[in-house]
Amino acid sequence: MLKYILKRLLQAIPTFLIITIAVFVLSNAAPGSPVDLIKAAGDLTPEAEQELRVQLGLDKPVAVRYLIWLGDMLHGDFGTSTRTNQPVWSLVQERIGPTLVLTLTSLVCSLLIAIPLGIMASLRPYSIWDTVSSFLAFLGASTPNFFVALVALYIFAVKLGLLPSMGMYSSNGGGLGDLALHLVLPVSITVIRMMGTYIKQTRGSMLDVMNEEYVKTARAKGLGEGTVVIKHILRNALIPIVSCIGLNIPYLVGGSTVTEQIFGWPGMGSLLVLSINQRDYNVIMAITVLIAAAVLVVNLLIDLLYAYLDPKIRLD
Amino acid sequence: MSKKETKKEHFLYNFAKHKLAVAALVILVLEILAVIFLPVIMGLDPVTSDTSAFSAPPGGAHPLGTDDAGRDLLARLLTGGRVSMLIGLGATLVSVAVGLPLGLVAGYYRGKLETLIMRAADIFLSFPSLVLNLVIVAVFGSSVELLIVTIGVLHWPAVAKLIYGNVLSVRSREFVEAERAIGSSDAKILFRTVLPNSIAPLWVSLAFRISNAMLTESALSFLGAGVQPPQASWGNIIQAANNLNVLMNRWWQWIPAGLCLMLTIVCLNFVGEGIRDALDPKMKRL
């Protein structure tokens, strides 16, 4: 078990480093370095230019600059935002919570809807449940999510006035109930998008396990249908479902960028879009690296869950 | 009649049985013809502003109204569709051009090359491609060509994994062993035997891949990081609805493009399902 965790950790670290290198190289490839900007603004003597480069640390080789950047970042120093002149960390920090609230609520809601639907569909193939779930799955895969979000915003927030259209809390403050109201639209949109994959995966895994010998054995020895379904079929079908959840985490995070933008959700996604439109590279780099780290951590947690569910991994 | 022809006829026969897929294919063909030829036939201009009609509702000289810069929205809808479809198709071709050889090589040669390629694929898959796409656009700016390349390249791992999985199961089959035994070259085995026997799932997935690439493009353009005005794409037309006033009062500036995009995606997915069912009836449903 310990060996398994260590192995996973050792795989995650290079992945993280490669992503940071990619982000660093990309941002450095961007036209318009600070020196160029100052140079364009007024005339700069070669000596002054050299001095400026030393001051900004741009005289060092790229590899050294990368290591300095990485080191600073690991100490929590992400530099200064060129848009607001504030430290990047203070900008990003307040965005982490809202994004976590949105993505986790969306994930939990999608699973709470998709797994029971998938189970029902697999127990009664070609029944109404099966039809409903395959229709929902198709709908999720076939609708441009941001367009559905806009239509929902138009109908429920603008026309009917049932739900708030923007942000996380009302301007006059508000408690948990207010937050829940603000969550309804963005979460529903994400659930519509993610649900299909989970329904399909649950149905498929359940059907795979159902024909196994040990399920027949369980039935043959007279276990009740409920026990067979939950303890013998679902328990084993959960393994591929959990790995499907892990594989879809990047997709969930990427999509929430769009959702946050539409619903004015004060999370990392909307900050990223704002920073990209303003070419605020330090913020872009910080968010990208944080997203990479978050996805890797979630995947590690999922690997642990996987080991818990599958004794073959745990005992190996 | 050769065996190949019967197979093709069998496929066409099965596809034709899937009524929804056939209807979807007809709609797609009509759409493609419309976006290619209608702007030319009707002499539509998607970029010039009509200074007498800013944000004009549908009617008169502008059947679908104008946007806030006074540009004709019917013209933009059609040329935007052209751009969106071109990017969907182009990006899919790029992802196949990158993913297919990598998957083939990883599955056939195994060893270090396999580890390297498949690890790289995992790294790509462990990061939200939409976010990476946004960053690339921030750095290099955006043009249709760049979008085709970046969306395509970021989608290579899915293609590579699909091919890789199939090559793995095909490479140890008897007919490949037999070819090796009679001393055929690697290239011959790869392209004449392994490839044709592992490519079917790629055909099945092609329509879904195009719809996926189109969704990515539209999301990027919607966020302002895709196709840039004055050039139109369905995504950047819908971007107008980011403005609450447009969302509330000017449906013609965003609903038609959204409906066209949705119709295209639904049709592509139906065609994809039709192809899948026709190639492999066992895989039918979900």
Side-chain angles (χ1 to χ4, degrees):
Chain A
M1 178 74 185
L2 195 68
K3 214 172 122 192
Y4 167 79
I5 300 172
L6 272 177
K7 200 177 143 203
R8 288 293 146 142
L9 250 173
L10 285 179
Q11 275 178 351
I13 292 169
T15 307
F16 178 73
L17 288 178
I18 288 174
I19 291 174
T20 58
I21 293 176
V23 169
F24 185 80
V25 169
L26 265 177
S27 302
N28 272 274
S33 79
V35 179
D36 291 337
L37 290 180
I38 296 170
K39 222 160 116 184
D43 38 12
L44 202 62
T45 62
E47 294 80 39
E49 187 187 330
Q50 187 54 34
E51 203 175 310
L52 198 62
R53 281 185 189 281
V54 173
Q55 211 181 358
L56 291 167
L58 290 175
D59 57 326
K60 300 188 182 72
V62 179
V64 176
R65 270 165 37 213
Y66 165 72
L67 288 176
I68 294 174
W69 172 70
L70 189 68
D72 284 349
M73 212 168 52
L74 294 177
H75 287 103
D77 176 8
F78 290 88
T80 315
S81 155
T82 48
R83 180 173 61 89
T84 65
N85 273 325
Q86 281 169 286
V88 170
W89 179 240
S90 73
L91 278 177
V92 172
Q93 198 185 16
E94 56 195 34
R95 301 291 190 131
I96 296 176
T99 293
L100 281 180
V101 170
L102 180 61
T103 43
L104 288 181
T105 318
S106 305
L107 181 63
V108 170
C109 290
S110 339
L111 293 177
L112 283 180
I113 295 171
I115 292 182
L117 265 180
I119 294 174
M120 296 298 285
S122 70
L123 292 179
R124 314 236 181 297
Y126 306 100
S127 70
I128 179 80
W129 288 108
D130 202 8
T131 315
V132 167
S133 62
S134 59
F135 173 74
L136 285 177
F138 185 82
L139 190 77
S142 304
T143 47
N145 206 244
F146 63 97
F147 181 61
V148 180
L150 289 168
V151 173
L153 190 66
Y154 180 70
I155 295 175
F156 294 104
V158 177
K159 278 281 153 187
L160 301 176
L162 288 174
L163 294 162
S165 62
M166 285 285 155
M168 193 168 168
Y169 291 103
S170 308
S171 51
N172 50 4
L176 222 52
D178 190 40
L179 173 64
L181 270 184
H182 281 82
L183 270 170
V184 174
L185 279 179
V187 167
S188 315
I189 298 303
T190 316
V191 168
I192 291 175
R193 192 170 57 97
M194 302 300 295
M195 200 173 44
T197 321
Y198 302 142
I199 295 179
K200 276 188 201 174
Q201 183 65 55
T202 308
R203 182 185 187 270
S205 320
M206 289 285 289
L207 285 176
D208 281 345
V209 176
M210 244 171 238
N211 297 321
E212 292 284 344
E213 295 294 327
Y214 55 77
V215 176
K216 283 181 200 147
T217 313
R219 284 217 175 87
K221 68 184 183 188
L223 291 181
E225 192 55 26
T227 320
V228 174
V229 169
I230 292 170
K231 278 205 166 157
H232 293 257
I233 305 180
L234 182 60
R235 172 72 200 243
N236 287 293
L238 268 182
I239 297 168
I241 297 173
V242 165
S243 84
C244 164
I245 297 170
L247 285 175
N248 277 290
I249 293 289
Y251 190 55
L252 175 73
V253 174
S256 75
T257 313
V258 184
T259 319
E260 284 184 9
Q261 179 68 12
I262 292 173
F263 293 102
W265 193 261
M268 302 222 285
S270 48
L271 180 64
L272 179 69
V273 174
L274 181 68
S275 309
I276 279 170
N277 288 328
Q278 306 271 333
R279 303 287 187 267
D280 192 348
Y281 291 111
N282 283 343
V283 179
I284 297 175
M285 285 159 95
I287 293 181
T288 336
V289 168
L290 282 176
I291 288 179
V295 171
L296 289 175
V297 168
V298 173
N299 274 322
L300 273 176
L301 290 178
I302 287 200
D303 280 336
L304 287 182
L305 191 58
Y306 208 75
Y308 167 77
L309 286 170
D310 190 352
K312 271 184 277 177
I313 296 178
R314 209 186 324 153
L315 302 173
D316 213 8
Chain B
M1 197 187 288
S2 77
K3 200 179 159 210
K4 207 163 191 176
E5 269 171 37
T6 26
K7 225 171 145 186
K8 199 189 252 169
E9 273 176 16
H10 186 68
F11 168 75
L12 288 176
Y13 173 75
N14 274 328
F15 186 81
K17 275 200 304 194
H18 201 303
K19 296 277 180 318
L20 270 173
V22 174
L25 188 64
V26 171
I27 295 177
L28 280 177
V29 170
L30 290 177
E31 264 192 274
I32 293 170
L33 291 176
V35 300
I36 295 179
F37 296 112
L38 272 188
V40 186
I41 296 172
M42 298 175 68
L44 294 168
D45 177 357
V47 287
T48 310
S49 298
D50 178 349
T51 45
S52 66
F54 292 109
S55 295
H62 306 289
L64 279 178
T66 59
D67 64 9
D68 56 358
R71 296 176 292 217
D72 183 63
L73 275 167
L74 178 62
R76 294 187 73 70
L77 190 68
L78 290 168
T79 51
R82 197 190 283 176
V83 169
S84 295
M85 290 185 200
L86 181 73
I87 294 179
L89 205 63
T92 306
L93 288 179
V94 171
S95 68
V96 170
V98 178
L100 178 69
L102 287 175
L104 205 57
V105 164
Y108 187 72
Y109 289 105
R110 314 287 310 266
K112 278 205 179 101
L113 214 53
E114 176 192 25
T115 320
L116 191 71
I117 294 173
M118 295 331 279
R119 279 297 293 155
D122 284 337
I123 292 177
F124 267 85
L125 287 174
S126 73
F127 194 78
S129 63
L130 189 73
V131 171
L132 204 52
N133 232 320
L134 282 169
V135 176
I136 292 174
V137 168
V139 172
F140 297 109
S142 59
S143 64
V144 171
E145 296 79 19
L146 187 77
L147 282 169
I148 290 177
V149 174
T150 45
I151 296 175
V153 169
L154 291 179
H155 282 86
W156 78 267
V159 178
K161 286 209 147 181
L162 193 68
I163 294 290
Y164 167 77
N166 284 292
V167 171
L168 273 191
S169 67
V170 168
R171 74 188 295 275
S172 52
R173 297 271 291 277
E174 294 84 354
F175 54 85
V176 179
E177 297 283 341
E179 275 236 41
R180 227 176 264 137
I182 60 171
S184 299
S185 69
D186 269 1
K188 199 178 161 202
I189 301 177
L190 255 180
F191 291 106
R192 297 260 307 268
T193 313
V194 176
L195 182 61
N197 281 296
S198 23
I199 205 165
L202 185 67
W203 292 127
V204 171
S205 73
L206 222 48
F208 297 118
R209 286 182 196 289
I210 298 173
S211 82
N212 227 330
M214 284 186 69
L215 282 177
T216 309
E217 178 275 325
S218 62
L220 284 171
S221 297
F222 173 74
L223 292 174
V227 178
Q228 301 294 324
Q231 190 169 31
S233 90
W234 284 339
N236 79 13
I237 296 175
I238 304 171
Q239 198 191 5
N242 255 337
N243 177 322
L244 210 56
N245 186 25
V246 172
L247 183 80
M248 283 162 68
N249 305 320
R250 300 189 208 138
W251 58 268
W252 65 90
Q253 291 188 341
W254 61 284
I255 301 250
L259 290 180
C260 285
L261 178 62
M262 201 147 107
L263 180 70
T264 312
I265 302 294
V266 168
C267 286
L268 276 169
N269 288 354
F270 273 133
V271 169
E273 292 202 353
I275 296 175
R276 185 184 57 198
D277 292 353
L279 275 181
D280 185 2
K282 271 181 293 179
M283 274 168 67
K284 215 165 173 174
R285 298 184 48 86
L286 288 184

